[in-house]
Amino acid sequence: MTNAGTPPRRIRRKNYFIDKKFQGTFILKFCMLVAATGLFIMVVLYSLSNKATTVSFINSRVVVQTTADFLFPLLIQTFVIATVFVGIATIFITLFISHRIAGPAYRFKKTLADLSGGNFSENCHLRRKDSLQDVAKALNDMMSNVRKGLTAVNSSLTKLKNKLGDVQKSKSVDDSELRELKKEASELDEALHHFKF
């Protein structure tokens, strides 16, 4: 009947890309933010160093050039290296963060699909570190209240069936009223068996 008293089973992560569109966009936006930040820093350093002069030794020659021209190749190399390494780290971090959002969203969709099919027997279980724990708790509380209500209706239906059986045996009610009561009990029973609780 109900699994409300059973402890939640541990859910293991099987697939990190639950909602590929959401997670892909999420990761891409963060990688673009990393690249834009690196580019911004490079432009600012280049602009600030444009008014200064630097003396350097290149191939055993003394070269006088603006600091911006001296730093430009170094800035490009630093930008590329930093963007690659930080980009890779960003992809992994945002994958795990987005998974903690997309995972609960997937679980909620699955639970709501079960509810729309009349299945109130399973609670919505999330992993310990997933986001939206309070939403899952509210959903589980709602399902628990519905299960209690359905159990009470089921109990009333059982009592009604027993009384109908007693009335039918005693023949104290005419047949048309008895058929009407049986029909109503049957309709209630059919409607109730649509649900799992």
Side-chain angles (χ1 to χ4, degrees), residues 33-47 75 79:
L33 179 63
V34 167
T37 302
L39 190 60
F40 175 74
I41 290 170
M42 190 176 85
V43 168
V44 167
L45 282 175
Y46 186 78
S47 299
L75 288 173
F79 171 73

Side-chain angles (χ1 to χ4, degrees), residues 154-170:
N154 190 38
S155 174
S156 296
L157 177 64
T158 303
K159 289 178 187 175
L160 177 62
K161 285 180 181 178
N162 291 339
K163 286 182 182 178
L164 279 174
D166 293 344
V167 168
Q168 187 177 10
K169 288 177 187 172
S170 71

Side-chain angles (χ1 to χ4, degrees), residues 12-76:
R12 296 199 177 236
R13 185 176 283 128
K14 295 177 184 170
N15 184 3
Y16 285 98
F17 277 105
I18 294 172
D19 186 345
K20 290 178 183 172
K21 183 179 178 185
F22 165 74
Q23 288 179 283
T25 305
F26 190 77
I27 290 168
L28 182 64
K29 286 180 180 177
F30 270 92
C31 286
M32 288 173 54
L33 179 63
V34 167
T37 302
L39 190 60
F40 175 74
I41 290 170
M42 190 176 85
V43 168
V44 167
L45 282 175
Y46 186 78
S47 299
L48 292 175
S49 63
N50 203 13
K51 296 177 182 170
T53 304
T54 300
V55 176
S56 59
F57 290 99
I58 299 175
N59 296 329
S60 300
R61 293 186 338 218
V62 176
V63 178
V64 178
Q65 58 188 1
T66 64
T67 304
D69 290 338
F70 175 74
L71 288 177
F72 187 72
L74 297 172
L75 288 173
I76 294 291

Side-chain angles (χ1 to χ4, degrees), residues 111-155:
T111 300
L112 291 173
D114 288 347
L115 291 177
S116 70
N119 185 359
F120 286 82
S121 62
E122 291 288 324
N123 278 338
C124 181
H125 299 289
L126 300 180
R127 288 179 302 275
R128 223 173 358 107
K129 294 182 180 180
D130 280 342
S131 300
L132 305 172
Q133 293 286 342
D134 53 340
V135 176
K137 183 186 180 323
L139 186 61
N140 289 335
D141 290 346
M142 182 270 303
M143 287 190 297
S144 176
N145 289 335
V146 170
R147 278 193 294 266
K148 287 176 188 173
L150 289 173
T151 302
V153 169
N154 190 38
S155 174

